[in-house]
Amino acid sequence: MRRRPGIAGLQNQAAARDQYRLVGDHVAKLRTDMMKEQLETFRSQLEDFARKHKNDIRKNPAFRAQFHEMCAKVGVDPLASNKGFWAELLGIGDFYYELGVQIVDICLATRSHNGGLINLQELCSLLCQRHKVARDSVSEDDCLRAINKLKILGSGFEVVSVGKKKLVRSVPTELNKDHNEILELAQVQGYVIVDEVEKRLSWSSGRAIDTLETLLEEGLAMIDDGHRDGRRRYWFPCVASVPGATG
């Protein structure tokens, strides 16, 4: 028969647990201090890297995207403010601010055509045309970062994924599952036909027509009745192929 530990034994066990906890706390603090020290070292190295390659960061979108990834890993946000070390060194805060303003302008200018839903690739192409620079000088990553800054301002801008495409939404229209399926289907030719929707999605005629008419009312679709077969095409500018774009 096992004897229960006496008061002295219980006190010893409690003291041992306290010792273990103290040792554990000490080890955790050492690890935290070491991580903080490593992060400070990384940040210092990142600043040196930025000074050395600032021209590449400003001019090369692929290099710029990699730089942002490096920053994220050490908890640095060069876009957090237009003032301070990073803005003065790189000027990229101003770059994304100006890009955001132009994105708003383009979305407003094309809203009557696309209903406030624009293909991200098309948006990049239009931005490059405004800058009068090469197609790859403003990347999709640049656009996404600028739009993310617009979201912080409560501007209503959002990026939604439909199939393999990313669309920038600048109106409060909520896309439900049926809307997304129609838009994904339209990516093949840029348009859909009612009986094709019924067949491909196994929908009733009523469901297909109701969804298409809703998208039409929201300004996201355009009607094309000028075909010999008499079948109405519902065109979707936001997912139609973009000249010169790939993806």
Side-chain angles (χ1 to χ4, degrees):
M1 185 175 177
R2 295 179 63 184
R3 295 176 59 187
R4 293 182 180 178
I7 293 176
L10 290 173
Q11 289 176 337
N12 288 337
Q13 289 177 9
R17 282 197 297 271
D18 289 341
Q19 282 295 110
Y20 285 134
R21 189 173 65 251
L22 287 172
V23 170
D25 290 346
H26 181 64
V27 170
K29 186 178 183 304
L30 285 175
R31 286 178 177 171
T32 301
D33 291 343
M34 191 178 299
M35 287 177 66
K36 285 180 179 176
E37 190 176 324
Q38 288 177 338
L39 278 175
E40 286 304 316
T41 301
F42 288 148
R43 284 174 182 163
S44 176
Q45 291 174 342
L46 194 60
E47 290 179 9
D48 292 339
F49 178 87
R51 286 192 186 93
K52 184 177 180 181
H53 298 284
K54 65 180 181 181
N55 288 332
D56 291 317
I57 294 169
R58 285 174 178 170
K59 297 177 182 178
N60 187 323
F63 201 92
R64 191 160 55 241
Q66 291 175 349
F67 173 72
H68 279 296
E69 287 181 18
M70 289 167 57
C71 288
K73 288 177 181 177
V74 295
V76 171
D77 184 2
L79 306 183
S81 171
N82 279 346
K83 297 179 180 179
F85 170 79
W86 293 104
E88 291 174 10
L89 176 65
L90 300 174
I92 55 177
D94 292 333
F95 169 78
Y96 286 106
Y97 170 76
E98 291 168 8
L99 204 60
V101 170
Q102 291 178 24
I103 286 172
V104 171
D105 285 345
I106 289 172
C107 287
L108 289 174
T110 59
R111 189 173 289 177
S112 61
H113 172 64
N114 57 35
L117 203 60
I118 185 171
N119 190 328
L120 181 61
Q121 291 177 339
E122 182 182 359
L123 180 59
C124 287
S125 295
L126 292 172
L127 283 167
C128 289
Q129 288 175 24
R130 285 199 171 199
H131 280 286
K132 295 182 180 178
V133 291
R135 167 66 185 85
D136 60 356
S137 62
V138 177
S139 68
E140 290 187 12
D141 183 78
D142 289 330
C143 289
L144 291 172
R145 292 183 189 280
I147 292 166
N148 193 47
K149 293 301 167 186
L150 291 174
K151 282 171 62 179
I152 293 171
L153 299 174
S155 60
F157 280 72
E158 187 179 9
V159 177
V160 294
S161 294
V162 177
K164 296 180 180 180
K165 292 185 183 292
K166 285 188 172 66
L167 308 177
V168 180
R169 187 175 69 196
S170 59
V171 290
T173 304
E174 289 293 332
L175 298 176
N176 61 30
K177 186 172 181 289
D178 283 1
H179 299 156
N180 281 332
E181 289 190 10
I182 291 279
L183 290 172
E184 188 169 355
L185 188 61
Q187 289 180 20
V188 179
Q189 302 176 96
Y191 68 86
V192 296
I193 300 170
V194 172
D195 55 5
E196 178 190 15
V197 172
E198 294 172 24
K199 182 179 178 182
R200 296 287 297 277
L201 301 179
S202 300
W203 286 4
S204 66
S205 176
R207 182 179 179 182
I209 293 172
D210 182 60
T211 305
L212 287 166
E213 288 300 315
T214 299
L215 291 168
L216 189 62
E217 289 171 11
E218 293 290 349
L220 300 178
M222 300 169 64
I223 286 177
D224 179 7
D225 287 330
H227 293 269
R228 290 182 179 179
D229 60 11
R231 300 161 81 196
R232 170 173 285 185
R233 270 75 166 164
Y234 289 83
W235 282 90
F236 293 89
C238 60
V239 295
S241 297
V242 183
T246 58

